[in-house]
Coordinates of all heavy atoms in Angstrom, one line a residue:
Chain K
W10 N -10.0 100.2 118.2 CA -10.0 99.0 117.4 C -10.8 99.3 116.1 O -11.7 100.2 116.1 CB -10.7 97.8 118.1 CG -12.1 98.0 118.5 CD1 -12.5 98.5 119.7 CD2 -13.3 97.7 117.7 NE1 -13.9 98.5 119.7 CE2 -14.4 98.1 118.5 CE3 -13.5 97.2 116.5 CZ2 -15.7 98.0 118.1 CZ3 -14.8 97.1 116.0 CH2 -15.9 97.5 116.8
V11 N -10.4 98.6 115.0 CA -11.0 98.8 113.8 C -11.0 97.5 113.0 O -10.0 96.8 113.0 CB -10.4 100.0 113.0 CG1 -8.9 99.8 112.8 CG2 -11.0 100.2 111.7
I12 N -12.1 97.3 112.3 CA -12.2 96.1 111.4 C -12.5 96.7 110.0 O -13.4 97.5 109.8 CB -13.3 95.2 111.8 CG1 -13.0 94.6 113.2 CG2 -13.4 94.0 110.8 CD1 -14.2 93.8 113.8
C13 N -11.7 96.3 109.0 CA -11.9 96.8 107.7 C -11.8 95.7 106.7 O -11.3 94.6 106.9 CB -11.0 97.9 107.4 SG -9.3 97.4 107.2
K14 N -12.3 96.0 105.5 CA -12.1 95.0 104.4 C -10.8 95.2 103.7 O -10.2 96.3 103.7 CB -13.3 95.3 103.3 CG -14.6 94.9 103.9 CD -15.7 95.1 102.8 CE -17.1 94.7 103.2 NZ -18.1 94.9 102.2
S15 N -10.3 94.1 103.1 CA -9.1 94.2 102.4 C -9.1 95.2 101.3 O -10.1 95.3 100.6 CB -8.8 92.8 101.8 OG -7.5 92.7 101.2
G16 N -8.1 96.0 101.1 CA -8.0 97.0 100.1 C -8.4 98.4 100.5 O -8.1 99.4 99.8
T17 N -9.0 98.5 101.7 CA -9.3 99.8 102.2 C -8.2 100.4 103.0 O -7.2 99.8 103.3 CB -10.6 99.8 103.1 OG1 -10.3 98.9 104.2 CG2 -11.8 99.2 102.3
S18 N -8.3 101.7 103.2 CA -7.2 102.4 104.0 C -7.8 102.8 105.4 O -9.0 103.1 105.5 CB -6.8 103.7 103.3 OG -6.1 103.4 102.1
V19 N -6.9 102.7 106.3 CA -7.3 103.0 107.7 C -6.4 104.0 108.3 O -5.2 103.9 108.2 CB -7.3 101.7 108.6 CG1 -7.6 102.0 110.0 CG2 -8.2 100.7 108.0
K20 N -7.0 105.0 109.0 CA -6.2 106.1 109.6 C -6.3 105.9 111.1 O -7.4 105.8 111.7 CB -6.7 107.5 109.2 CG -5.8 108.6 109.9 CD -6.4 110.0 109.6 CE -6.1 110.4 108.2 NZ -6.4 111.9 107.9
I21 N -5.1 106.0 111.8 CA -5.1 105.9 113.2 C -4.5 107.2 113.7 O -3.4 107.7 113.2 CB -4.2 104.7 113.7 CG1 -4.7 103.4 113.1 CG2 -4.1 104.6 115.2 CD1 -3.8 102.2 113.3
R37 N 4.5 98.4 116.1 CA 3.6 97.4 115.7 C 3.9 96.2 116.6 O 5.1 95.9 116.9 CB 3.8 97.0 114.3 CG 2.9 95.9 113.7 CD 3.1 95.8 112.2 NE 2.2 94.8 111.7 CZ 2.1 94.4 110.4 NH1 2.9 95.0 109.5 NH2 1.3 93.5 110.0
F39 N 3.0 92.1 117.3 CA 2.3 90.8 117.0 C 2.0 90.1 118.4 O 2.7 90.4 119.3 CB 3.1 90.0 116.1 CG 3.2 90.6 114.7 CD1 4.3 91.2 114.3 CD2 2.1 90.5 113.8 CE1 4.4 91.8 113.1 CE2 2.2 91.1 112.6 CZ 3.3 91.7 112.2
K66 N 3.2 102.3 102.2 CA 2.2 101.4 102.8 C 1.7 102.0 104.1 O 0.5 102.1 104.4 CB 2.8 100.0 103.1 CG 1.9 99.1 103.9 CD 0.8 98.6 102.9 CE 0.0 97.5 103.6 NZ -1.1 97.0 102.7
F67 N 2.6 102.6 104.9 CA 2.3 103.1 106.2 C 2.7 104.6 106.2 O 3.8 105.0 106.4 CB 3.1 102.4 107.3 CG 2.8 101.0 107.4 CD1 3.6 100.0 106.8 CD2 1.6 100.5 108.0 CE1 3.3 98.6 106.9 CE2 1.3 99.2 108.2 CZ 2.2 98.2 107.6
T80 N -1.5 106.1 108.5 CA -2.5 105.6 107.6 C -2.0 104.3 107.0 O -0.9 104.3 106.3 CB -2.9 106.6 106.5 OG1 -3.4 107.8 107.1 CG2 -3.9 106.1 105.6
V81 N -2.7 103.2 107.2 CA -2.4 101.9 106.6 C -3.1 101.9 105.2 O -4.4 101.9 105.2 CB -2.8 100.8 107.4 CG1 -2.4 99.4 106.8 CG2 -2.2 100.9 108.8
T82 N -2.4 102.0 104.1 CA -3.1 102.1 102.8 C -3.3 100.7 102.2 O -2.4 99.8 102.4 CB -2.2 103.0 101.9 OG1 -1.0 102.3 101.7 CG2 -2.0 104.4 102.4
S83 N -4.4 100.6 101.5 CA -4.7 99.3 100.9 C -4.4 98.1 101.8 O -3.5 97.3 101.5 CB -3.9 99.2 99.6 OG -4.3 98.0 98.8
A84 N -5.1 98.1 102.9 CA -4.8 97.2 104.0 C -5.1 95.7 103.5 O -6.0 95.5 102.7 CB -5.6 97.5 105.2
H85 N -4.2 94.8 104.0 CA -4.4 93.4 103.7 C -4.4 92.6 105.0 O -4.0 93.1 106.0 CB -3.3 92.9 102.7 CG -3.4 93.4 101.4 ND1 -4.4 93.0 100.4 CD2 -2.8 94.4 100.7 CE1 -4.2 93.7 99.3 NE2 -3.3 94.6 99.5
P86 N -4.9 91.4 105.0 CA -5.0 90.6 106.2 C -3.6 90.6 107.0 O -3.6 90.6 108.2 CB -5.4 89.2 105.8 CG -6.3 89.5 104.6 CD -5.6 90.7 103.9
E87 N -2.5 90.6 106.3 CA -1.2 90.5 107.0 C -0.9 91.8 107.7 O 0.1 91.8 108.5 CB -0.1 90.1 106.0 CG 0.1 91.1 104.8 CD -0.7 90.6 103.6 OE1 -1.7 89.9 103.7 OE2 -0.2 91.0 102.5
D88 N -1.7 92.8 107.5 CA -1.5 94.1 108.2 C -2.2 94.1 109.5 O -2.0 95.0 110.3 CB -2.0 95.3 107.4 CG -1.2 95.4 106.1 OD1 0.0 95.2 106.1 OD2 -1.8 95.8 105.0
S89 N -3.0 93.1 109.7 CA -3.7 93.0 111.0 C -2.7 92.9 112.1 O -1.8 92.0 112.1 CB -4.6 91.7 111.0 OG -5.6 91.8 110.0
S90 N -2.8 93.7 113.1 CA -1.9 93.8 114.2 C -2.3 94.8 115.2 O -3.4 95.4 115.1 CB -0.5 94.3 113.6 OG 0.5 94.1 114.6
F91 N -1.5 94.9 116.3 CA -1.8 95.9 117.3 C -0.8 97.1 117.1 O 0.4 96.8 117.1 CB -1.6 95.3 118.7 CG -2.1 96.0 119.9 CD1 -3.4 96.5 119.9 CD2 -1.2 96.3 120.9 CE1 -3.8 97.2 121.0 CE2 -1.7 97.0 122.1 CZ -3.0 97.5 122.1
Y92 N -1.3 98.2 116.8 CA -0.4 99.4 116.5 C -0.4 100.3 117.7 O -1.5 100.7 118.3 CB -0.9 100.1 115.3 CG -0.8 99.3 114.0 CD1 -1.8 98.4 113.6 CD2 0.4 99.4 113.3 CE1 -1.6 97.7 112.5 CE2 0.5 98.6 112.1 CZ -0.5 97.8 111.7 OH -0.3 97.0 110.6
T112 N -4.1 100.5 119.1 CA -5.2 100.3 118.2 C -5.1 98.9 117.6 O -4.1 98.6 117.0 CB -5.2 101.3 117.0 OG1 -5.4 102.6 117.6 CG2 -6.3 101.1 116.0
R113 N -6.2 98.1 117.7 CA -6.1 96.8 117.2 C -6.8 96.8 115.8 O -8.0 97.2 115.7 CB -6.9 95.8 118.1 CG -6.8 94.3 117.6 CD -7.0 93.3 118.6 NE -6.2 93.4 119.8 CZ -4.9 93.0 119.8 NH1 -4.4 92.5 118.7 NH2 -4.2 93.1 120.9
L114 N -6.0 96.5 114.8 CA -6.5 96.5 113.4 C -6.7 95.1 112.9 O -5.8 94.3 113.0 CB -5.5 97.2 112.5 CG -5.8 97.1 111.0 CD1 -7.1 97.8 110.6 CD2 -4.6 97.7 110.2
T115 N -7.9 94.8 112.4 CA -8.2 93.5 111.8 C -8.7 93.8 110.4 O -9.6 94.5 110.2 CB -9.3 92.8 112.6 OG1 -8.9 92.6 114.0 CG2 -9.6 91.4 112.0
V116 N -8.0 93.2 109.5 CA -8.3 93.3 108.1 C -8.9 92.0 107.6 O -8.2 90.9 107.7 CB -7.1 93.7 107.2 CG1 -7.5 93.9 105.8 CG2 -6.4 94.9 107.8
L117 N -10.1 92.1 107.1 CA -10.8 90.8 106.7 C -10.5 90.5 105.2 O -10.1 91.4 104.4 CB -12.3 91.0 106.8 CG -12.8 91.4 108.3 CD1 -14.3 91.6 108.3 CD2 -12.4 90.2 109.2

Side-chain angles (χ1 to χ4, degrees):
Chain K
W10 59 270
V11 57
I12 301 173
C13 69
K14 292 183 178 180
S15 186
T17 60
S18 294
V19 175
K20 180 185 283 188
I21 303 170
R37 184 173 181 178
F39 292 103
K66 175 75 172 177
F67 299 99
T80 301
V81 183
T82 61
S83 186
H85 291 284
E87 58 265 31
D88 298 324
S89 297
S90 191
F91 193 52
Y92 293 88
T112 297
R113 186 160 301 284
L114 170 64
T115 301
V116 184
L117 302 176

